[in-house]
Amino acid sequence: MKFKFPENLYTDVRIEEHKSAYFYVKNGEVEGNGETEINGAMIRIFDGKLWYTRETNDLDSIQQCIDDLAAVAVPNPNILKNKIVKNFSVNQAKILKFEGDKDLRKLTKEDREKIVYDYNKKIIDKSIKEIIVNHTSFNYSHLVKSIYTSKGTEIVQDYQRCQFGAFYEININGLNFGGGKHYHEFFFEDLLGKEAEILAERDRCLEFAKNATDVVPGDYTCVLAPTVTSVFTHESFGHKSEADFMLNDKTLQDEWVMGKKVGNEKVTIIDEGDELYHGYCPYDDEGNKKQKVYLMKEGVLTGRLHDAKSAAILKEKPTGNARAQDYNNTPIVRMTNTYMDAGKDDPEEIIKGVKDGIYVYDWNYGTGNSTFTIQPKKCYKIKDGKITDPVRVNVITGSVFQTLFDIDAVGTDLKFFSGTCGKNGQSMPTATGGPTIRVKKLTIN
């Protein structure tokens, strides 16, 4: 598309074409079945002092929106010298990875119903009386995003992913326990053939619910499974690396300085958007190329995540991490694919090195700031280097900085996991990653 941009002002136009569909079944009853299709655009004009914005679902009205905003902005002949505007690079690219036969938009109503009903026949066993709720679901989302700027950027890129989830509620002796498996994939066929994994996880959950005892609260050496490492990395360090948190916090700026040792030399943490994990984002929503950023390298703070504004204020380089949930939202600093890199320690040897500790198998949620919190789903005792009895743990807590130093083993088994991250009311697809790690001390309750 070509637009007539006003002189002496910075303008960008973000256009989105979005289609999604869903099918949900609970205890055999359909709870939702539908699809949506939305096209829209956000137009922004910046005069060096203020941003002027407008959203529209009428793509033919974009030029009129530009003209209307320009009429109320104040022309600035030095706009290209503005520190923020200088950080908007000029890029031209067309990256469409999800066209053709694997385009999720080609799926029919029958396709989304069939995957759920076919799985239900194979994974739901009504003879297991302890399972009181079965909930299965499928959904997909396909997005084509375009951005055009007055500096000359023209980018078109796409994104899609689909999800199948099988969840259940178990009641044993009056106690409820939730479990299940969910899969996020880029392509529909990759959701198929997961029955054995789903059933194995169901049986693990039943065994856990029947046999777990309450943990004795205290400080323990903990071994985190890769999925738990990934959420620790994302919540405790990834969000702390989003530079917009620092803009009005002089104390954090003074503490969070490049080159400072902030963890064990075994720990390296990276954020990148080019690899095809679920935070895939080759260009951000300001048109900047996503950079591979070493947030921490061998225990030393080496980078942080920026949009154009935070980079200008902190006098650092943009990293291409400005992302918006959709055209109705302004881009903010967000992670993409964020992970703790693989180490050199054998995962089995990591466990063998623990005499009396806790193995954290998976998690319900995690939060992080200076102190982080993880609520696990399933944990197990470690006795004399072996994983033994299941234990119920309410919450795991620790100091972020102390924990980063207390990581004394990092496994070779790096794995990636898909998810959705919320921040400032916006949700974005992300990927988290990590290997098995051992932490010398965490507080268990």
Side-chain angles (χ1 to χ4, degrees):
M1 292 186 177
K2 296 293 184 182
F3 301 105
K4 183 179 179 181
F5 294 120
E7 294 183 1
N8 299 324
L9 295 168
Y10 171 79
T11 307
D12 65 32
V13 177
R14 286 190 293 118
I15 302 171
E16 296 185 359
E17 303 167 58
H18 182 231
K19 184 176 181 179
S20 61
Y22 57 89
F23 183 57
Y24 307 143
V25 174
K26 181 178 180 180
N27 287 345
E29 298 293 326
V30 176
E31 288 203 322
N33 189 3
E35 59 185 56
T36 60
E37 192 164 356
I38 300 173
N39 297 331
M42 174 177 277
I43 301 92
R44 303 193 307 171
I45 285 183
F46 184 51
D47 62 11
K49 292 184 178 180
L50 295 175
W51 284 95
Y52 305 82
T53 66
R54 180 175 292 183
E55 300 98 47
T56 181
N57 295 107
D58 179 6
L59 300 188
D60 292 332
S61 73
I62 291 175
Q63 185 62 59
Q64 186 61 54
C65 291
I66 294 172
D67 296 342
D68 291 345
L69 293 175
V72 296
V74 179
N76 180 354
N78 295 313
I79 190 64
L80 294 180
K81 296 180 181 179
N82 179 275
K83 293 179 179 180
I84 295 174
V85 175
K86 288 172 70 174
N87 277 339
F88 296 131
S89 60
V90 178
N91 295 294
Q92 296 186 346
K94 188 174 185 178
I95 308 173
L96 299 176
K97 285 184 176 289
F98 304 106
E99 293 185 317
D101 293 340
K102 294 186 176 182
D103 186 334
L104 293 174
R105 293 173 296 183
K106 295 183 181 295
L107 295 175
T108 65
K109 177 176 179 287
E110 289 71 27
D111 291 326
R112 65 177 180 261
E113 293 176 356
K114 185 175 188 301
I115 186 174
V116 171
Y117 285 134
D118 284 354
Y119 264 116
N120 282 355
K121 291 176 185 176
K122 299 172 183 177
I123 65 175
I124 294 178
D125 185 346
K126 294 183 179 180
S127 69
I128 302 176
K129 301 303 181 183
E130 294 89 349
I131 297 179
I132 58 174
V133 175
N134 280 290
H135 183 225
T136 46
S137 64
F138 167 80
N139 62 67
Y140 81 76
S141 175
H142 185 284
L143 182 65
V144 179
K145 305 173 72 171
S146 307
I147 181 168
Y148 304 90
T149 79
S150 56
K151 291 183 71 175
T153 286
E154 296 184 8
I155 295 168
V156 180
Q157 58 188 355
D158 60 355
Y159 183 90
Q160 69 175 27
R161 73 172 177 176
C162 50
Q163 178 267 349
F164 176 78
F167 298 96
Y168 33 80
E169 187 174 320
I170 299 168
N171 183 282
I172 294 177
N173 298 324
L175 294 176
N176 285 359
F177 182 82
K181 291 282 285 185
H182 71 276
Y183 299 91
H184 290 92
E185 301 290 351
F186 288 111
F187 305 111
F188 180 75
E189 60 265 30
D190 293 331
L191 291 177
L192 306 178
K194 307 293 187 182
E195 293 88 355
E197 293 178 13
I198 293 170
L199 292 173
E201 181 61 20
R202 180 202 67 187
D203 294 343
R204 177 186 279 273
C205 286
L206 284 165
E207 185 273 338
F208 184 90
K210 290 175 181 177
N211 299 308
T213 58
D214 291 334
V215 73
V216 177
D219 292 337
Y220 290 87
T221 296
C222 291
V223 175
L224 309 187
T227 183
V228 185
T229 301
S230 78
V231 72
F232 165 76
T233 301
H234 177 97
E235 295 289 352
S236 300
F237 195 82
H239 277 303
K240 214 171 186 64
S241 300
E242 293 172 330
D244 53 347
F245 283 127
M246 302 179 62
L247 299 186
N248 298 310
D249 191 334
K250 186 65 166 58
T251 300
L252 189 57
Q253 291 178 31
D254 292 340
E255 292 179 351
W256 207 236
V257 293
M258 295 297 106
K260 181 178 180 179
K261 187 172 177 60
V262 293
N264 190 292
E265 61 272 7
K266 290 177 177 281
V267 179
T268 294
I269 296 176
I270 300 167
D271 182 270
E272 62 79 27
D274 277 337
E275 296 298 322
L276 205 56
Y277 301 113
H278 286 267
Y280 169 73
C281 180
Y283 290 88
D284 74 2
D285 288 320
E286 292 180 334
N288 284 333
K289 181 79 178 73
K290 177 67 185 91
Q291 306 298 312
K292 184 174 184 178
V293 183
Y294 281 80
L295 303 174
M296 183 196 299
K297 193 167 187 178
E298 297 176 354
V300 175
L301 188 66
T302 51
R304 55 181 137 245
L305 307 178
H306 285 292
D307 61 7
K309 177 182 177 180
S310 66
I313 293 173
L314 297 177
K315 299 179 181 179
E316 297 176 2
K317 294 182 179 180
T319 60
N321 283 88
R323 305 179 69 197
Q325 175 179 293
D326 52 41
Y327 71 92
N328 283 308
N329 287 276
T330 298
I332 57 177
V333 184
R334 305 301 302 271
M335 286 175 274
T336 56
N337 301 318
T338 312
Y339 60 98
M340 184 181 296
D341 206 4
K344 298 180 180 179
D345 299 305
D346 182 277
E348 292 185 3
E349 294 299 320
I350 291 175
I351 296 169
K352 288 180 181 178
V354 179
K355 183 172 180 60
D356 183 15
I358 300 291
Y359 180 69
V360 188
Y361 177 79
D362 55 7
W363 56 279
N364 281 315
Y365 72 79
T367 61
N369 202 319
S370 295
T371 299
F372 72 89
T373 298
I374 295 174
Q375 186 188 66
K377 288 183 181 178
K378 296 185 284 297
C379 292
Y380 299 84
K381 293 179 182 178
I382 303 175
K383 286 292 184 183
D384 297 322
K386 294 182 179 180
I387 297 174
T388 59
D389 302 326
V391 286
R392 287 187 292 267
V393 172
N394 181 45
V395 68
I396 300 171
T397 60
S399 160
V400 172
F401 294 113
Q402 186 60 51
T403 298
L404 289 169
F405 280 106
D406 283 347
I407 295 171
D408 65 358
V410 178
T412 57
D413 54 340
L414 171 62
K415 295 180 182 178
F416 285 86
F417 306 89
S418 60
T420 301
C421 174
K423 177 181 172 182
N424 294 357
Q426 297 190 43
S427 294
M428 292 297 300
T430 57
T432 60
T436 298
I437 63 172
R438 185 172 63 217
V439 184
K440 287 188 288 187
K441 186 176 74 173
L442 289 173
T443 300
I444 302 285
N445 288 297

